Amino acid sequence: MSYDLYFKPRNGFFSEEHFHAYFGNRPNYKYEGAQAWYGNEDTGVYFVFELQTEQAPEENDDEPIEPFPVALNINYLRPSYFIFEVEPEVTAFVKNFDLLVSDPQVEGMGDGEYNAEKLLSGWNYGNEFGYTSILKDENNRSGVSHLPAAQLQSAWKWNWSRSEVQTRAGESKFVPRIMFMNLGGSTVTAAVWPDGIPVVVTRVDYLCIPRKELAPTRFFRKKEDTTFVEWDKALPILLKHGTQNEDGSISLNYMTPPSDVVKFVQSLPAENRAVAGLSADKVLDREIYERSIA
């Protein structure tokens, strides 16, 4: 199930050269044949623009069909923040080429002028319908992960701006993205804090700490591992050695871990819960999930 939107120029024509020149200069796109795939490694958001090389005729209609040379496809059954990243890309594309649209979706914008608000509402309507259509069958709920929409959107905002934060922080500090994980049967957010190094980090459920240089010693030998610590347990030491930024994130202000950071990291117990990473696109909005199965 997916949202499909079609584009044509108001005047003139749209060529393959236009398609490749435009998407070839925009970040996060790559080509696969006649498709320009958007994929953001930080946020996990993806969608595709496709150049329509052929226009299928309508049945029992001798009138020529006015072609819509480009199509957009966005999957349903996705976290609601997907459309927040899609919309600016679509809006920029439409403005660049002065495009008209054909939107066959229920609650969509119909044929004619593009409307960004209708893109948002149309996809959201279809996305919730997708949740209901698929998740009403109990067999399709196995392994489904979900978190509150506000938490998902907060994680998306951080990940979407992560590269800019990293640029401002420079090479001396690491800015981890927010990951989604299944930790002991629970869906959680996590950020990596390797060996207590200087980072810029925002609130998550857990800090994921790979221990190599600071691996605990067992039987006179260091044994590398990865452990997890709740945010609230780590917060005092983060604030002691860091500055809280306007967005609530914390920037650690040392070059090498101080002795109490070393002690804190080394003192954490080994992780014995089952741990598995979760793809961002598979962690759904809890509120829509709960409405869909009610």
Side-chain angles (χ1 to χ4, degrees):
M1 300 180 67
S2 62
Y3 178 101
D4 300 296
L5 183 63
Y6 303 92
F7 306 89
K8 69 176 181 180
R10 188 186 306 274
N11 299 298
F13 66 97
F14 189 94
S15 69
E16 184 176 354
E17 289 74 20
H18 291 137
F19 186 81
H20 288 286
Y22 180 79
F23 291 110
N25 291 323
R26 293 188 72 84
N28 297 320
Y29 284 94
K30 66 177 182 179
Y31 290 117
E32 291 183 6
Q35 297 177 322
W37 278 94
Y38 178 97
N40 188 327
E41 293 183 359
D42 280 340
T43 65
V45 172
Y46 54 86
F47 54 91
V48 62
F49 286 95
E50 183 171 4
L51 190 63
Q52 307 289 288
T53 55
E54 296 182 2
Q55 191 78 17
E58 293 183 3
E59 293 183 5
N60 304 319
D61 191 349
D62 295 330
E63 292 295 322
I65 300 173
E66 191 171 6
F68 285 81
V70 180
L72 168 73
N73 178 272
I74 318 165
N75 290 121
Y76 289 144
L77 195 65
R78 295 295 182 266
S80 60
Y81 61 75
F82 256 53
I83 198 63
F84 298 148
E85 192 163 337
V86 176
E87 181 274 319
E89 289 294 321
V90 178
T91 298
F93 178 58
V94 170
K95 288 183 176 179
N96 189 79
F97 292 104
D98 190 21
L99 301 173
L100 299 173
V101 300
S102 177
D103 182 352
Q105 274 76 216
V106 175
E107 301 295 324
M109 63 193 83
D111 292 350
E113 298 295 329
Y114 169 75
N115 185 310
E117 290 185 1
K118 283 288 188 178
L119 172 66
L120 295 169
S121 63
W123 182 84
N124 281 321
Y125 180 90
N127 191 45
E128 183 150 353
F129 179 79
Y131 275 62
T132 302
S133 299
I134 295 172
L135 298 175
K136 66 183 179 181
D137 185 344
E138 292 185 8
N139 295 324
N140 294 331
R141 300 176 201 165
S142 177
V144 172
S145 302
H146 48 81
L147 286 171
Q151 188 176 11
L152 290 176
Q153 291 174 17
S154 178
W156 168 76
K157 287 179 181 178
W158 175 261
N159 288 337
W160 191 57
S161 61
R162 190 201 67 82
S163 60
E164 295 179 6
V165 178
Q166 183 67 77
T167 298
R168 292 195 301 268
E171 298 181 357
S172 62
K173 295 179 183 179
F174 173 54
V175 182
R177 67 182 177 87
I178 297 178
M179 306 178 296
F180 301 99
M181 309 193 79
N182 185 303
L183 182 60
S186 297
T187 302
V188 301
T189 57
V192 176
W193 186 26
D195 276 330
I197 65 171
V199 293
V200 182
V201 66
T202 194
R203 174 176 282 275
V204 286
D205 294 321
Y206 287 86
L207 290 173
C208 171
I209 306 180
R211 296 187 290 193
K212 184 176 180 180
E213 297 299 326
L214 301 184
T217 301
R218 299 185 181 94
F219 303 109
F220 306 104
R221 293 182 59 188
K222 284 187 176 182
K223 186 176 181 181
E224 297 179 14
D225 67 359
T226 298
T227 190
F228 290 80
V229 61
E230 295 93 333
W231 175 264
D232 287 340
K233 289 184 178 179
L235 186 57
I237 200 162
L238 295 176
L239 291 175
K240 179 181 178 182
H241 294 284
T243 300
Q244 194 152 29
N245 303 311
E246 291 184 2
D247 62 359
S249 64
I250 299 173
S251 301
L252 295 182
N253 298 321
Y254 52 75
M255 296 299 293
T256 58
S259 59
D260 56 346
V261 173
V262 171
K263 183 178 179 180
F264 175 78
V265 170
Q266 290 180 329
S267 69
L268 296 171
E271 184 56 63
N272 56 16
R273 290 167 291 187
V275 180
L278 297 173
S279 177
D281 64 326
K282 304 301 183 185
V283 183
L284 306 180
D285 289 47
R286 180 166 294 164
E287 294 86 346
I288 306 178
Y289 174 85
E290 291 177 347
R291 288 197 296 269
S292 299
I293 66 173

